Amino acid sequence: MQNDTLNLHRLSSLLIILFIGGYITIIGRSILSPIAFAALFSFLLLPISRRLERVVSYIPLAIVLSMLIAVLPLIGLLVLFSVQFATVVNDIPAIGRKLLTGLEKVIAFIQQYVNLDTFSIEESLKSNFSKLIEAPIQILGQSLSSGSNVLISILLTVLFTFFIMLYRTSFKNFFLMQFSHSKRDEAVSIMEEVERVLKEYLFGLMGVILILGVLNSLGLWIIGIKYAAFWGFLAACLAIIPYIGTTLGGMFPFVYALATTGTLWQPAAVVLLYMSVQTLEGNFITPKVVGSSVSINPFAAIVFLFVGGMIWGVSGLILALPFVAVLKVVMEHITPLKPVSELLSSDVYSDADKFLNEYDHARFRISNYFSRKYKS
């Protein structure tokens, strides 16, 4: 009977580790976030660096060259985006005045089909519209004022990426030495699978952004929206935030079209365009390009996005999906947590019977981990 009793020491140790780990994650955001991004970028640069290291014998130089190869195209895109962004920002006052006219047209159109108190709505818009227009300018000002913090984070990320790449063998060996010789093969397998998942996710995400950028830009150009490439690739870049980014990216050209085109069909066409592209992206583009590397079901993804956003803000939203993908890989190799890994999977709906058919055994129950008879 004693073997079936609860192992309070193991339970209390786990709770303490979770509490301390969560607390450190929250208060250490400013340093942990650049480290997390650096680790992610290291997986992206690893194939490039390995190729260069075959030619360049001095490894630090090969790492710097691989970083330059990856960063220079990004800098070029940022310069182009900055020029377009500056033009759009200069047009904000004029856009604001035109937007009110556009909203009045929308209200008049809706009035034809729905009985609304048009006068009170228009008065409310006019009285509060200046605040709505000032809000983006205030946000921009706050962003510029915190620009030094952003710059420091970027510099730290670049620095950490270099050192993670430079010391990667030492980090790998340190991780392996934590396991007994009998379990090192499995530890190597976990590391290789994590590397594969993250590389597939990152390169796949780059492909998705490129495809979405082209589709969005082409669609906006056909509709007749100015700065089509800027709006199109802005929404595509925001797609790094799953489920939220594409929708947010579509709001900007919609508001811009409503303010500048003088018609109703063009803003409506922008909405239809982004709805169509988002449907295509979710059901065809991402599954085909990214593949099964991050097979996370939408419910789990949204929960982790919400938690990541609460803890680390925008950084948490971006890192949530790769984090849960790595967590899923690790849990697949821990017997009591294999069903939890399956619960995060995108196949959880179609494989609902798997829990009772394959995992209906004591060794797969989480409670078994906290019993005295459990042995890792």
Side-chain angles (χ1 to χ4, degrees), residues 138-169:
Q138 291 176 354
I139 293 172
L140 180 62
Q142 291 172 0
S143 301
L144 292 174
S145 65
S146 60
S148 58
N149 294 331
V150 174
L151 183 61
I152 290 171
S153 297
I154 292 173
L155 291 175
L156 283 176
T157 301
V158 171
L159 191 63
F160 291 154
T161 301
F162 173 79
F163 285 118
I164 289 174
M165 294 284 292
L166 183 63
Y167 302 142
R168 62 182 185 270
T169 304

Side-chain angles (χ1 to χ4, degrees), residues 84-93 140:
Q84 294 281 294
F85 180 70
T87 305
V88 173
V89 168
N90 290 332
D91 291 343
I92 283 179
L140 180 62

Side-chain angles (χ1 to χ4, degrees), residues 49-61:
S49 181
R50 282 173 175 167
R51 288 179 180 272
L52 287 172
E53 287 169 14
R54 297 171 189 169
V55 181
V56 181
S57 58
Y58 188 55
I59 292 179
L61 179 59

Side-chain angles (χ1 to χ4, degrees), residues 308-335:
M310 281 198 312
I311 296 175
W312 280 5
V314 176
S315 299
L317 291 173
I318 296 171
L319 293 168
L321 208 55
F323 169 79
V324 70
V326 171
L327 185 65
K328 182 175 178 293
V329 169
V330 173
M331 289 193 297
E332 285 174 356
H333 293 267
I334 302 175
T335 301

Side-chain angles (χ1 to χ4, degrees), residues 4-26:
D4 294 328
T5 57
L6 189 67
N7 189 330
L8 293 177
H9 175 72
R10 179 171 288 159
L11 178 61
S12 60
S13 297
L14 179 64
L15 291 175
I16 291 171
I17 291 171
L18 289 175
F19 176 79
I20 294 176
Y23 181 73
I24 292 174
T25 301
I26 294 171

